[in-house]
Amino acid sequence: MKRDFTKLLDISAEECRYLLKRAAFIKQARKIGTPHKPLAEKTLAMIFEKASTRTRASFEIGITELGGHALVTNAAESQMGRGEPLCDTARVLSRYVHAIMIRTFAQETVDELARWSTVPVINGLTDLYHPCQVLCDLFTIEEIKGPIDGLKIAYVGDGNNMANSWIEASILLGFSLSVATPDGYRPDRALLERAKSNPKFALTNDPREAVEGVDVINTDVWVSMGMEQEKEDRQKAFASYCIDDALLGLAEKDAIVLHCLPAYRNQEITDVVFERFQDVIFSQAENRLHGQKALLEWIMTEELWKA
Ligand code: CP
Ligand code: NVA
């Protein structure tokens, strides 16, 4: 059976740990120049209905380095923009390519694509989730700080796709996660219900409470793609959620700050804090490449589907 990665909870904890280990191997192989091309002659279709720098570059370079090829398209340049049904697009692409990555608005679009495709579908970001980012961020955290089981993680800011995927990761792996969002901008309600299964999960509207004694602070933009009309209201609502030195001072002394990027200086993070952690943050961006190569290799390996 083919596997999809529409959200983090599509994979098991064991599979997630395998991918993190494999990402480290793939990163090392690239560093020492060992060719690793298990996906020769395979094509990944990439559909972008929202802008992207990292996701596009890391997936396109990733599939190329694995020996395969990327086909990049979007609604405006294809018949999707003229109303061709998704169920037909899915079945057509499935006859040409070996996996489809999509970045779009509604999670239902990814779910529908996965339902009709006979090849794996990967969620490259929706309004609800950003699973590839958080999978790779788990890799970055373990690379710098060791096993996530022993760490305290915080997420401060909008209860958006990043917050939701962090919550999914904490449900999957059972690590300690505290999330701080303003009351009107909470993460997905159904997911918060599910998160009750993890006794180490906490939600608050106080960013200081969330970062107290943590090892890792995550943040993200206050105005996600598609929310631009809410910009003014959001800037007011989030004003006390900026990662600055005062907030950072409440975390562990050797705490690190992650940002999935793009970053808006002196909004969700001060320029000073951003630059202090720039090496971590750009390693985080780099690790999209290694983590997603592990994902592509795994999901596009037909032996897995037959199991
Ligand atoms: N972090 C992230 O997904 O970046 P892009 O929007 O540039 O792909
Ligand atoms: N929450 C952001 C993430 C960007 C990578 C957005 O959806 O725009």
Side-chain angles (χ1 to χ4, degrees):
M1 205 184 74
K2 64 128 175 173
R3 294 291 298 275
D4 299 303
F5 191 62
T6 66
K7 56 185 186 301
L8 266 166
L9 288 170
D10 282 351
I11 60 173
S12 67
E14 195 187 4
E15 288 165 341
C16 184
R17 292 196 195 284
Y18 164 78
L19 290 172
L20 299 177
K21 218 168 148 185
R22 193 70 187 155
F25 170 85
I26 286 173
K27 183 170 183 175
Q28 183 63 11
R30 186 181 197 257
K31 202 168 162 188
I32 61 178
T34 312
H36 178 64
K37 299 191 180 296
L39 299 182
E41 310 301 325
K42 306 237 176 183
T43 299
L44 171 72
M46 307 205 297
I47 303 169
F48 283 99
E49 297 190 328
K50 285 179 178 173
S52 170
T53 297
R54 283 144 287 269
T55 304
R56 159 125 198 215
S58 54
F59 268 110
E60 186 164 348
I61 293 162
I63 186 75
T64 306
E65 289 186 358
L66 292 168
H69 175 77
L71 167 82
V72 186
T73 187
N74 60 41
E77 286 172 4
S78 70
Q79 299 288 5
M80 279 182 288
R82 298 179 61 248
E84 182 165 17
L86 203 56
C87 58
D88 291 355
T89 305
R91 286 178 286 184
V92 169
L93 286 177
S94 294
R95 300 288 180 113
Y96 297 137
V97 306
H98 303 89
I100 304 169
M101 194 283 299
I102 179 165
R103 167 169 286 198
T104 188
F105 294 85
Q107 179 67 22
E108 291 71 26
T109 304
V110 177
D111 295 342
E112 173 87 347
L113 193 66
R115 186 153 54 246
W116 288 97
S117 298
T118 55
V119 298
V121 169
I122 297 171
N123 179 350
L125 181 147
T126 58
D127 295 343
L128 191 62
Y129 296 123
H130 198 1
C132 294
Q133 179 72 54
V134 173
L135 175 70
C136 298
D137 292 354
L138 292 169
F139 172 50
T140 302
I141 289 172
E142 295 211 325
E143 198 178 35
I144 300 172
K145 312 266 323 161
I148 198 143
D149 296 345
L151 300 174
K152 288 184 174 169
I153 314 293
Y155 174 93
V156 175
D158 187 17
N160 61 13
N161 41 19
M162 281 299 293
N164 289 332
S165 284
W166 267 111
I167 294 170
E168 283 216 317
S170 82
I171 295 170
L172 186 66
L173 300 177
F175 58 81
S176 166
L177 176 70
S178 49
V179 172
T181 68
D183 286 337
Y185 297 90
R186 287 188 162 179
D188 182 65
R189 193 179 303 183
L191 205 52
L192 288 176
E193 232 4 81
R194 272 189 92 171
K196 288 182 180 161
S197 68
N198 178 7
K200 294 185 191 164
F201 172 76
L203 176 70
T204 172
N205 58 12
D206 182 356
R208 285 162 305 177
E209 191 184 317
V211 303
E212 183 89 49
V214 299
D215 304 288
V216 181
I217 301 176
N218 290 279
T219 191
D220 183 22
V221 293
W222 294 340
V223 184
S224 284
M225 291 180 277
M227 309 274 169
E228 290 78 7
Q229 74 288 355
E230 297 178 15
K231 191 173 167 184
E232 267 179 39
D233 287 348
R234 285 175 166 267
Q235 282 175 345
K236 275 184 217 142
F238 288 99
S240 61
Y241 288 73
C242 176
I243 310 298
D244 56 14
D245 272 313
L247 207 55
L248 190 58
L250 301 170
E252 282 293 298
K253 268 202 177 62
D254 59 352
I256 56 169
V257 176
L258 295 188
H259 194 310
C260 66
L261 302 175
Y264 292 87
R265 307 310 205 274
N266 303 320
Q267 290 191 38
E268 72 272 9
I269 188 165
T270 62
D271 189 32
V272 170
V273 172
F274 184 93
E275 289 305 329
R276 192 177 312 138
F277 289 96
Q278 61 83 24
D279 190 44
V280 171
I281 291 168
F282 292 114
S283 294
Q284 179 187 5
E286 177 192 327
N287 284 339
R288 294 289 302 280
L289 175 62
H290 313 303
Q292 288 161 193
K293 279 172 79 177
L295 177 67
L296 289 173
E297 179 194 60
W298 178 73
I299 218 163
M300 292 173 80
T301 300
E302 282 181 42
E303 282 65 35
L304 172 85
W305 310 1
K306 289 178 196 145

